[in-house]
Amino acid sequence: MAALHENTTGLSEMVTALAGVEICEEPWRIYYDETENCRSIAYRDGTIADARTVERTFILGGIAILGEGAENELSARVAPLIPRSGEMKARTVLGGSDDFARVLRRRETTRFLESIDQPGIAVHYHSQDNLYYAIVDIVDSMIAGSGNGHMFALHRELKNALYLCARIDPVGFLENLAAFGFPNVPPGEVRPFCEFIENSLLDFLETRSESLSFEDSFSIEALRQMARTSSRSESLALLRDNPPDTLVEGFSNHYQQVCLFFPEAFHCFDAETHVSMDIVDGDNYDFVDSKSNLFVQISDVWVGLLSRCFRFLGKWADDRNPDVFAHNPIALENLKTIRRLIDRAADLHPALVSSLEADCVLRKRFEAFDALCGS
């Protein structure tokens, strides 16, 4: 086991160095649940069977217990929220309303947030936009070849540019890519594939130019030129040797990553057979049945609340309804608590809050937070 721990430590150092954050050596107990786990996203005869898989964000998150005694205190505080069935879930606390303002003003929501907004407890989450994840290798492949290496400094802006184009019709865009063999693009399809990307970006620029910032227009045009240059390549570095017809093979990398970022913590995940089979290194985690673990249940409520919150903020950023919380001070205070919990976690350690999402999505989310809660 000592050798296994030594190997895991080396991998932790490599992964955290690539991510630009330091390993956290704190001996916390970190609990997890997930939402929008579609297991995988793949083509079937060139089509995507379920559009929701590329329209919803996967979130793995929950709570971290930072000190002695916090678990007992938290158990006592959330006891009134436990239903007769014995298992607390997002739907039992948050209800079934699609109106997030209504969710926020529920007494149960307030009680839940007050329970976790305490010393010795931190929230955490790791989110992934599946559309963004499915297409970022296109940009990285173009940067890697045809003399575009100098564009690495703008890789996030370029990925954001492609995402802006793709999200107009996520399913349609991905199904068009399938015609070229994506996520594997054979040599004979490189030119038409790159020409499709170039023409899609050009059409997007011409039809959406008035709504785009100067920075986004610049990034889209830069990527369009890179696609033209890449069309002369023999191959695209990352678009080969991938599992055929598979856009997202699974989510086990998120579980592995948190174990590596926090090697001295103990990680308690909700039972997930496919993930537990994929993670084989390390001795700092376990998979449990949520019915038998209250803190995994609390994590289920947190990620359910966060998923609803992120969808609400994205929509609000488009609508800008200034009266959404008019005459609803409880809902607004609960939204402020969510923001405070996220900020506190990010300050505690940056790896507690991470997102594999486009810059435009993250920017809108936190601009909405600032506008509603006060920056």
Side-chain angles (χ1 to χ4, degrees):
M1 187 64 73
L4 180 60
H5 184 74
E6 182 178 341
N7 291 338
T8 304
T9 299
L11 186 56
S12 292
E13 293 172 350
M14 181 182 70
V15 170
T16 54
L18 289 172
V21 299
E22 295 183 357
I23 291 174
C24 180
E25 303 286 356
E26 296 291 342
W28 299 330
R29 292 186 66 84
I30 309 180
Y31 297 88
Y32 301 80
D33 207 341
E34 60 192 33
T35 186
E36 306 300 343
N37 184 349
C38 52
R39 301 297 185 269
S40 66
I41 303 175
Y43 291 118
R44 183 182 306 155
D45 297 325
T47 63
I48 293 175
D50 187 348
R52 292 173 299 178
T53 60
V54 291
E55 293 172 352
R56 294 288 181 91
T57 300
F58 166 79
I59 301 176
L60 175 70
I63 59 167
I65 303 298
L66 311 180
E68 296 293 331
E71 287 177 327
N72 291 337
E73 294 176 8
L74 179 57
S75 298
R77 285 195 296 270
V78 301
L81 297 174
I82 301 174
R84 292 181 180 178
S85 65
E87 183 177 9
M88 182 169 53
K89 306 256 324 160
R91 65 176 178 270
T92 65
V93 175
L94 307 177
S97 177
D98 291 331
D99 182 348
F100 187 63
R102 178 175 295 180
V103 171
L104 283 175
R105 68 172 179 258
R106 284 172 60 89
R107 289 192 300 270
E108 294 87 348
T109 303
T110 301
R111 182 64 179 261
F112 174 78
L113 288 170
E114 289 175 346
S115 297
I116 62 175
D117 184 20
Q118 299 290 334
I121 300 170
V123 300
H124 64 90
Y125 70 85
H126 311 272
S127 58
Q128 173 178 295
D129 183 312
N130 294 323
L131 172 63
Y132 183 75
Y133 181 78
I135 63 177
V136 291
D137 280 356
I138 297 173
V139 176
D140 287 332
S141 294
M142 291 181 178
I143 291 174
S146 301
N148 291 320
H150 63 287
M151 298 299 289
F152 178 76
L154 298 175
H155 73 101
R156 285 200 61 89
E157 291 86 349
L158 296 169
K159 291 169 183 175
N160 186 70
L162 184 59
Y163 179 84
L164 285 170
C165 178
R167 72 172 183 173
I168 299 299
D169 179 12
V171 172
F173 187 84
L174 292 173
E175 290 181 351
N176 280 325
L177 296 183
F180 306 101
F182 186 78
N184 298 299
V185 180
E189 295 290 347
V190 169
R191 178 177 290 276
F193 176 83
C194 291
E195 288 175 348
F196 169 76
I197 298 294
E198 180 187 356
N199 292 333
S200 296
L201 291 167
L202 179 60
D203 181 65
F204 182 72
L205 266 178
E206 291 178 343
T207 57
R208 307 272 174 165
S209 59
E210 293 183 0
S211 62
L212 293 171
S213 67
F214 171 80
E215 292 79 7
D216 286 338
S217 294
F218 174 85
S219 298
I220 293 167
E221 176 59 23
L223 184 60
R224 190 179 75 84
Q225 295 296 332
M226 288 171 60
R228 174 176 292 182
T229 303
S230 297
S231 68
R232 298 191 288 270
S233 302
E234 294 184 1
S235 65
L236 296 170
L238 301 177
L239 304 186
R240 59 191 182 195
D241 302 323
N242 297 307
D245 295 326
T246 304
L247 296 172
V248 178
E249 191 171 10
F251 298 100
S252 59
N253 59 311
H254 291 280
Y255 295 73
Q256 185 80 63
Q257 177 176 292
V258 293
C259 291
L260 295 172
F261 279 133
F262 302 94
E264 301 303 322
F266 189 80
H267 305 265
C268 191
F269 302 109
D270 187 21
E272 180 60 52
T273 303
H274 295 291
V275 173
S276 61
M277 291 173 63
D278 288 340
I279 301 180
V280 294
D281 291 335
D283 55 357
N284 63 339
Y285 67 87
D286 193 15
F287 287 84
V288 302
D289 185 345
S290 62
K291 293 180 180 179
S292 63
N293 192 295
L294 176 62
F295 306 108
V296 171
Q297 295 172 29
I298 293 171
S299 298
D300 177 77
V301 180
W302 169 247
V303 296
L305 182 63
L306 206 59
S307 179
R308 291 164 172 79
C309 181
F310 287 173
R311 290 198 298 272
F312 164 79
L313 292 172
K315 187 176 185 303
W316 188 89
D318 293 330
D319 299 342
R320 292 278 171 173
N321 176 10
D323 300 321
V324 65
F325 292 125
H327 313 298
N328 201 346
I330 293 174
L332 180 57
E333 284 305 310
N334 283 336
L335 184 68
K336 290 180 178 179
T337 300
I338 294 171
R339 175 64 188 269
R340 183 171 62 251
L341 289 169
I342 292 173
D343 288 346
R344 186 189 303 163
D347 290 341
L348 187 61
H349 194 277
L352 285 172
V353 175
S354 66
S355 299
L356 186 52
E357 300 177 77
D359 285 350
C360 62
V361 173
L362 297 175
R363 184 166 54 247
K364 284 173 60 175
R365 179 178 302 159
F366 286 97
E367 284 177 354
F369 257 138
D370 288 343
L372 291 166
C373 301
S375 55

